[in-house]
Amino acid sequence: MLTRDFVEGTDLPYMQALLTGINLTDSLYNPNYGYFSKQAIIFNSGEPFDFNNIPDELEFNRILGQRYTAFEDKLDAEKPDETRQLWHTPTELFRPYYGEAIARYLVENYKLSHHPYHDLIIYEIGAGYGTLMLNILDYIRDLYPGVYDRTKFRVIEISSTLASIQTAQLTRSASSRGHAQHVEIINRSIFDWSSYIPEPCYFLALEVFDNFGHDSIRYDPFTEEPLQGSVLIDNDGDFYEFYTRSIDPVASRFLRVRAAACSQPFEHPLKGSRVLRQLRARLPLAANLTLPEYVPTRLMQFFDILHDYFPRHSLLTSDFHYLPNAIKGFNAPVVQTRYKRRTVPVTTPFVSLPAPYRPLEIDKVKVQQGYFDILFPTDFVVMEDIYRAITGKLTRISTHEGFFKRWAYVEDTLTRSGENPLLSWYKNASVMVTV
């Protein structure tokens, strides 16, 4: 049986046609071979960076590179791995200051809206190793003990591996052990959620939407009819992409909701002059369909979950509104892997490692699925309108820099030159909150 979560079983679904959205979700989250379930390792910088004693951003980059090398050297000493998939998050790079800024936002809004009548209930998806959770709880405990007594932090984690790491983090030190009674780790996909939560709560989704499955849509340049992409995996493990006029209910609903909800023009294959588009389509060797558009069907389903089961939620999300070196298409992803500590970019989300990068000791099937990070940009203008249409809530969008200028103690991440990596990094990210 196929679902929009992942394919059942331990092996790839040979000679089966999967919708693009299903295939991408399976590649990233399948519990047996998915990128996040089995391959991804989050970089840990060790001690927090002492930004105030770092001369400038250039030196910060150098120190970060040194720590990256030392981190991988330590891992290789335990178990060498040429295909190790290592990545970092702003939570880890700027801890504890990043988490403290999120905590300030949560506490201030809780005190304004719900205290003292309700507890401070926080949900987080995509929690990684649990660093943000600990930084938030440390801050609330140290500065707002009365609020801390009423704080409940619930992590919803699809990966059993990460859920175990998050649980272990709670017993790592005497300080973190004190948080155990305030934390619940729920090892489940948010898309399997079925419990109604009537209390007001805050929902954190930081750098999560970029890894949600997207469906691929191409259009007939003459009739403007949409066609939906699917993928077939043959018996050799190679991928074949094709498009049909049969649009599944989820993608069809997304197109309807977007058309009804969006108040501003957005980039898509049919934008622009219809005459010019048809002239281009008549040129020799022209494609018979437009470039693909990758639509965030999974994100729409996440908003459905919030509306149906968390009606009094307030969402705080941050993600990339632009990604360089994306593959061809509209709202197209960046697809990449790592080999021998080097990033290897590719031009399609349906890939096996090229022969020069394929280690002999690794089975081809396992290389194909789960060894590639697939990141989509988020069109915050479109996302905001769809979120509002589904949940009925109001929102505010700001830049990453704007949000942290307001909620972080920016002096904590200031280098001696006056440069501030917390603000200058992630220029291609935005933040959206429920108001």
Side-chain angles (χ1 to χ4, degrees):
M1 182 181 72
L2 301 182
T3 72
R4 276 191 168 265
D5 288 316
F6 43 77
V7 180
E8 294 182 347
T10 59
D11 296 322
L12 292 180
Y14 294 109
M15 304 308 296
Q16 294 187 46
L18 305 180
L19 292 172
T20 300
I22 296 176
N23 177 273
L24 297 180
T25 299
D26 183 65
S27 179
L28 292 170
Y29 297 106
N30 188 292
N32 299 297
Y33 49 74
Y35 177 83
F36 289 107
S37 303
K38 294 296 182 181
Q39 307 301 336
I41 297 174
I42 302 174
F43 168 69
N44 185 317
S45 63
E47 290 298 315
F49 291 100
D50 184 5
F51 290 97
N52 295 161
N53 286 314
I54 295 176
D56 50 30
E57 280 199 33
L58 187 63
E59 179 65 9
F60 171 62
N61 276 314
R62 189 190 67 80
I63 297 172
L64 176 60
Q66 286 183 334
R67 293 197 186 185
Y68 242 94
T69 299
F71 184 79
E72 286 212 81
D73 286 346
K74 183 178 179 181
L75 293 176
D76 279 339
E78 298 174 1
K79 182 181 179 182
D81 186 355
E82 293 182 332
T83 60
R84 179 179 297 112
Q85 303 303 307
L86 182 65
W87 52 288
H88 62 262
T89 68
T91 299
E92 296 290 346
L93 291 185
F94 301 113
R95 63 184 173 92
Y97 314 115
Y98 185 94
E100 290 175 353
I102 301 296
R104 286 187 200 97
Y105 171 85
L106 294 172
V107 170
E108 290 303 316
N109 281 272
Y110 166 70
K111 289 168 67 178
L112 285 172
S113 303
H114 305 302
H115 185 269
Y117 306 106
H118 299 280
D119 291 337
L120 173 55
I121 302 175
I122 305 166
Y123 286 86
E124 184 185 7
I125 59 172
Y129 287 175
T131 302
L132 180 66
M133 168 187 69
L134 294 178
N135 293 161
I136 289 173
L137 291 174
D138 285 346
Y139 178 86
I140 298 175
R141 179 192 58 198
D142 295 345
L143 274 75
Y144 300 95
V147 172
Y148 179 75
D149 290 341
R150 304 191 60 176
T151 298
K152 301 175 182 176
F153 202 111
R154 297 165 183 164
V155 173
I156 304 172
E157 178 56 62
I158 187 174
S159 166
S160 298
T161 301
L162 290 177
S164 298
I165 292 173
Q166 293 156 8
T167 301
Q169 287 273 58
L170 292 171
T171 59
R172 184 186 59 184
S173 65
S175 176
S176 60
R177 281 195 293 271
H179 297 317
Q181 61 183 337
H182 295 271
V183 174
E184 181 180 4
I185 309 295
I186 304 166
N187 187 195
R188 182 190 312 169
S189 168
I190 183 61
F191 298 101
D192 293 331
W193 193 267
S194 59
S195 301
Y196 187 77
I197 307 298
E199 300 88 3
C201 60
Y202 293 89
F203 220 102
L204 306 181
L206 304 177
E207 291 191 47
V208 172
F209 297 166
D210 58 341
N211 293 123
F212 274 173
H214 286 53
D215 278 282
S216 179
I217 304 291
R218 298 175 75 179
Y219 299 85
D220 186 306
F222 298 100
T223 67
E224 300 187 353
E225 178 185 12
L227 291 85
Q228 186 169 8
S230 295
V231 182
L232 179 71
I233 308 175
D234 69 12
N235 287 324
D236 293 326
D238 292 322
F239 292 73
Y240 297 89
E241 185 180 14
F242 62 95
Y243 286 79
T244 68
R245 286 177 163 78
S246 177
I247 309 294
D248 88 310
V250 176
S252 178
R253 176 173 171 248
F254 176 87
L255 296 178
R256 293 196 309 271
V257 170
R258 183 177 67 175
C262 288
S263 56
Q264 301 180 48
F266 53 88
E267 294 296 322
H268 65 97
L270 300 180
K271 186 178 180 182
S273 170
R274 183 175 183 177
V275 173
L276 289 177
R277 181 171 63 251
Q278 293 180 357
L279 285 175
R280 285 193 296 267
R282 288 190 171 95
L283 293 175
L285 304 179
N288 62 349
L289 297 174
T290 65
L291 285 172
E293 174 191 20
Y294 294 91
V295 296
T297 43
R298 202 58 160 162
L299 179 57
M300 177 188 69
Q301 292 181 309
F302 172 64
F303 293 159
D304 289 334
I305 294 289
L306 293 181
H307 172 264
D308 293 343
Y309 297 107
F310 302 88
R312 300 182 68 184
H313 78 274
S314 293
L315 177 65
L316 191 165
T317 182
S318 176
D319 231 304
F320 301 105
H321 58 254
Y322 166 76
L323 289 169
N325 304 316
I327 67 174
K328 290 183 179 180
F330 292 79
N331 200 49
V334 170
V335 185
Q336 59 191 22
T337 189
R338 290 181 84 248
Y339 181 65
K340 292 186 176 180
R341 304 191 183 188
R342 290 193 300 121
T343 298
V344 182
V346 294
T347 57
T348 170
F350 314 113
V351 288
S352 59
L353 281 178
Y357 300 107
R358 188 179 296 154
L360 295 177
E361 68 273 14
I362 296 182
D363 183 82
K364 178 182 177 184
V365 169
K366 293 181 180 179
V367 170
Q368 285 177 318
Q369 291 285 82
Y371 276 80
F372 292 85
D373 193 6
I374 304 169
L375 304 92
F376 289 88
T378 297
D379 187 330
F380 274 78
V381 175
V382 172
M383 178 188 71
E384 180 181 39
D385 284 339
I386 292 177
Y387 173 80
R388 288 179 172 185
I390 292 176
T391 66
K393 294 178 178 290
L394 298 178
T395 52
R396 180 174 58 248
I397 295 176
S398 62
T399 64
H400 171 93
E401 180 182 4
F403 180 87
F404 284 94
K405 272 186 177 179
R406 180 175 182 182
W407 295 105
Y409 289 160
V410 294
E411 297 82 2
D412 291 335
T413 53
L414 201 65
T415 63
R416 293 207 305 265
S417 68
E419 295 171 305
N420 195 319
L422 176 62
L423 303 181
S424 59
W425 285 40
Y426 298 96
K427 289 284 190 181
N428 59 331
S430 295
V431 178
M432 189 182 83
V433 298
T434 306
V435 298

